[in-house]
Amino acid sequence: MSERPTKPILRVLEGEPVWPLPIWIMRQAGRYLPEYRETRSQAGSFLDLCYTPRLAEEVTLQPIRRFGFDAAILFSDILVIPHALGQDVRFVENEGPKLDPISNAADLSRLADELPLSRLDPVFETLDRLSKSLPRETTLLGFCGAPWTVASYMIAGKGTPDQAPARLTAYRDPAFMDRLIDILVRASTDYLIRQIDAGAEAVQLFESFGAALPPALFDRLSLDPIRRIVTGLKEARPNARVIVFVRGGGAHLHRFAAAGVGDALALDWTLDPALVLPDLPGDVATQGNLDPLALIAGGDALHRGIDHILHAVRGRPHIFNLGHGILPETPTDHVAELIARVRGA
Ligand SMILES: Cc1c2[nH]c(c1CCC(=O)O)Cc1[nH]c(c(CCC(=O)O)c1C)Cc1[nH]c(c(CCC(=O)O)c1C)Cc1[nH]c(c(C)c1CCC(=O)O)C2
């Protein structure tokens, strides 16, 4: 008989309403924290930071020490998968990620067809260390990017408005696109299984660019690949819990729920939980969805935003979070205020 979890986030992921709501924040380790900037300056490149377990553990723990969030999220990046597959990935200061773009079958043949897991050993070591160093009540989250979001970086070689290069490729060369997505589905599944074995208790899939997909491409490039990853992970590791974040996926939320894809669905900040939740099955957990700019603004905007969510999700299994990642300009005292208000509700 498996024991019922006691950590608040894991209880919510079992479909149990927990109050006060457990809380963590997407991208909670990062440049808005002075202690992150300090550690970051000690590492060479951003990837060195991701691949040095002692430092990656340290930056993962920083927001836990300062704020006592209910979850710690592994410090890494969604682009370690293309990097491990053999694509050149660099993080250029103030410009974001840069990759050598791939555009056809020949480019793809130069990358690994299966993820060489040992290249990511430092990531698994970071998880192993964290599973020993975290406070007892804190849930350890692993993550990866969803295939479409990662593919859009691999094809364009950088972030692009509306992911036009990858979308055009999906129309012009569907065979190449499907092949790339298939590689990423298998790589992501293997990667997440290994993260669970290294100590992650739940994982989040980040589909940051769901909004760009037209209906004719959405199922093929987003819903179906995510479903395959979640199914493969759960077949291999039935206790793994999964949070699915599809930014811009509001119109498809009920279909993710109906297909049983994810123990929790994360809402972006454009969705009104008061309108969306009544149409979701009561046992599907949700997560979100304060506007990251309301957290920067603080004051009334912040308090009204928090209260609206608290009111809308009362009695449901919900994890408080932002509707997308925290931004570098966010004042840390606003984060402390947010937590106090959610915990004091
Ligand atoms: C699209 C995406 C990426 N990375 C990620 C996504 C999906 C989530 C989202 O939509 O925000 C996910 C990610 N990136 C990072 C984390 C781990 C830590 C955490 O969430 O606390 C996670 C979960 C660290 C990071 N990843 C990156 C940083 C900043 C780099 C630095 O410190 O110099 C951090 C802390 C770099 C990165 N990595 C990426 C971009 C676009 C950038 C540059 C923009 C930026 O600087 O925020 C790709």
Side-chain angles (χ1 to χ4, degrees), residues 87-255:
Q87 194 169 12
D88 192 47
V89 178
R90 311 166 295 281
F91 287 82
V92 182
E93 198 76 56
N94 301 322
E95 281 182 53
K98 294 274 183 290
L99 302 80
D100 288 349
I102 57 165
S103 60
N104 54 43
D107 293 340
L108 213 45
S109 69
R110 285 188 282 275
L111 300 183
D113 181 65
E114 265 187 46
L115 184 68
L117 276 170
S118 61
R119 288 199 191 161
L120 295 166
D121 277 346
V123 174
F124 309 130
E125 191 188 325
T126 303
L127 283 168
D128 181 61
R129 296 170 74 115
L130 284 163
S131 62
K132 291 163 185 146
S133 55
L134 277 175
R136 215 175 347 143
E137 64 281 7
T138 314
T139 298
L140 180 53
L141 300 177
F143 73 93
C144 72
W148 157 250
T149 293
V150 175
S152 74
Y153 277 107
M154 294 177 77
I155 290 170
K158 58 184 179 189
T160 44
D162 298 328
Q163 292 72 54
R167 244 159 71 225
L168 200 52
T169 301
Y171 291 121
R172 283 190 173 150
D173 195 349
F176 162 73
M177 194 68 188
D178 289 343
R179 174 109 186 82
L180 176 56
I181 293 284
D182 181 63
I183 290 174
L184 290 171
V185 165
R186 288 182 287 108
S188 305
T189 308
D190 292 348
Y191 182 45
L192 293 180
I193 290 172
R194 192 69 185 80
Q195 289 189 27
I196 294 289
D197 290 346
E201 296 161 294
V203 294
Q204 175 156 318
L205 270 82
F206 286 90
E207 185 75 285
S208 302
F209 301 144
L213 289 168
L217 295 178
F218 190 87
D219 286 18
R220 187 179 127 217
L221 300 182
S222 183
L223 177 54
D224 196 54
I226 291 175
R227 187 186 52 70
R228 285 175 61 200
I229 293 170
V230 175
T231 306
L233 172 62
K234 293 208 167 209
E235 267 169 24
R237 300 294 180 269
N239 287 330
R241 295 291 171 262
V242 184
I243 304 167
V244 175
F245 172 59
V246 181
R247 183 175 166 212
H252 305 278
L253 216 51
H254 62 288
R255 297 196 308 124

Side-chain angles (χ1 to χ4, degrees), residues 8-71:
I9 290 204
L10 294 178
R11 287 167 56 202
V12 173
L13 294 176
E14 298 296 314
E16 186 189 331
V18 174
W19 197 270
L21 299 176
I23 177 169
W24 68 282
I25 286 186
M26 288 189 267
R27 309 288 292 263
Q28 65 192 19
R31 284 164 300 177
Y32 75 107
L33 291 177
E35 58 270 36
Y36 171 82
R37 296 195 297 269
E38 166 60 28
T39 311
R40 172 82 175 79
S41 69
Q42 288 170 30
S45 69
F46 174 72
L47 279 176
D48 289 336
L49 178 55
C50 294
Y51 293 143
T52 307
R54 182 180 56 82
L55 295 180
E57 178 194 25
E58 165 59 23
V59 291
T60 305
L61 290 172
Q62 285 169 351
I64 307 304
R65 278 190 210 118
R66 188 190 268 261
F67 300 116
F69 287 118
D70 292 284

Side-chain angles (χ1 to χ4, degrees), residues 250-294:
H252 305 278
L253 216 51
H254 62 288
R255 297 196 308 124
F256 277 88
V261 179
D263 300 284
L265 299 173
L267 316 180
D268 69 37
W269 77 84
T270 66
L271 297 173
D272 183 346
L275 298 177
V276 167
L277 296 197
D279 289 336
L280 290 179
D283 61 335
V284 174
T286 45
Q287 176 175 283
N289 72 341
L290 185 74
D291 185 349
L293 294 187

